[in-house]
């Protein structure tokens, strides 16, 4: 499993796609992100492939653009009757659309966590999680944009996905406390911080 951005240098506010490549040895594959289990397999459990961004700094992401699904004849329950089943096989490429924060400087970083379960035509291994770090060098605004590193790798990327880029994850400041036997939940920023201080003062007088 590897991850490659379409270019290694970006400017503040740029859009960038990161290819997440799952390469399988001959005869091996992984379940899709939404496995469709044949009815004849009963309660067979397939571990979905997941791709998550962790510890993102200077980047905002849109939902994953998943690889193309390949239909294979498989018998993962040893019934003797192979069924059509959709998988990721050979070289499957997913894409993470992202944008660089307008105020970002230095480097933009993210850890990409891929969880998958590898199978052949008869059995599946235990699920595995792989973390791949990606680092982008941020160059000053106005610097000429660099060329796409590997155009062939990004030929299936849908640039319309950039429209779905959302806010980068931030640490939560919400928490709860117990006041006079009542549970109170609020955010410890802005007005929530003022409320916290007020409660502290009242609590001091009471105690």
């Amino acid at each position: 499993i590897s991850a490659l951005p379409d270019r290694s240098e970006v400017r503040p506010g740029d859009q960038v796609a990161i290819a997440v490549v799952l390469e399988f040895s001959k005869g091996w594959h992984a379940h899709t992100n939404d496995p469709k289990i044949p009815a004849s397999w009963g309660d067979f459990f397939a571990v979905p492939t997941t791709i998550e961004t962790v510890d993102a700094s200077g980047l905002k992401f849109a939902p994953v653009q998943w690889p193309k699904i390949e239909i294979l004849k498989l018998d993962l329950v040893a019934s003797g009757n192979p069924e059509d089943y959709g998988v990721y096989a050979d070289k499957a490429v997913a894409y993470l659309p992202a944008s660089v924060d307008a105020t970002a400087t230095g480097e933009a970083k993210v850890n990409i966590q891929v969880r998958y379960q590898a199978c052949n035509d008869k059995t599946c291994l235990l699920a595995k999680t792989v973390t791949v770090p990606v680092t982008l060098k941020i160059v000053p605004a106005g610097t000429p944009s660099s060329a796409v590193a590997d155009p062939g790798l990004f030929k299936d990327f849908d640039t319309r996905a950039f429209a779905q880029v959302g806010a980068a994850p931030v640490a939560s400041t919400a928490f709860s406390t117990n006041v006079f036997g009542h549970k109170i939940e609020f955010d410890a920023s802005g007005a929530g911080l003022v409320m916290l201080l007020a409660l502290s003062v009242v609590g001091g007088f009471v105690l």
Side-chain angles (χ1 to χ4, degrees):
I1 293 177
S2 59
L4 179 71
D6 60 12
R7 55 195 184 280
S8 58
E9 294 185 350
V10 294
R11 302 163 299 189
D14 269 357
Q15 296 174 329
V16 60
I18 299 174
V20 181
V21 184
L22 294 79
E23 293 193 73
F24 300 92
S25 300
K26 185 176 180 180
W28 290 86
H29 54 268
H31 305 294
T32 68
N33 63 301
D34 184 20
K36 306 298 184 185
I37 308 300
S40 65
W41 290 4
D43 59 358
F44 174 81
F45 178 71
V47 178
T49 296
T50 60
I51 298 176
E52 298 181 344
T53 56
V54 181
D55 300 326
S57 174
L59 293 168
K60 301 172 186 175
F61 290 91
V64 177
Q65 180 185 323
W66 291 99
K68 293 179 180 179
I69 295 174
E70 183 173 342
I71 305 298
L72 300 180
K73 284 284 189 182
L74 301 174
D75 184 15
L76 297 180
V77 294
S79 66
N81 296 306
E83 294 268 15
D84 286 344
Y85 184 57
V87 299
Y88 298 142
D90 298 325
K91 184 177 181 178
V93 183
Y95 300 101
L96 280 168
S99 68
V100 183
D101 291 349
T103 58
T105 58
E107 292 180 331
K109 298 180 178 182
V110 65
N111 287 320
I112 298 174
Q113 286 189 348
V114 182
R115 180 171 172 80
Y116 68 99
Q117 184 178 33
C119 307
N120 58 21
D121 61 341
K122 297 184 183 302
T123 189
C124 293
L125 304 179
L126 293 176
K128 184 177 182 179
T129 300
V130 176
T131 300
V132 184
V134 173
T135 300
L136 300 168
K137 180 182 178 181
I138 299 176
V139 296
T143 302
S145 179
S146 57
V148 174
D150 185 350
L153 184 62
F154 293 89
K155 62 182 177 61
D156 293 324
F157 175 62
D158 186 351
T159 57
R160 292 175 297 179
F162 284 129
Q164 301 180 58
V165 171
V170 296
S172 174
T173 56
F175 73 100
S176 62
T177 187
N178 189 291
V179 179
F180 310 136
H182 298 281
K183 182 179 180 182
I184 298 178
E185 297 183 355
F186 54 90
D187 193 312
S189 64
L193 179 58
V194 174
M195 182 182 296
L196 175 61
L197 294 173
L199 287 171
S200 300
V201 172
V202 171
F205 282 128
V206 172
L207 296 175

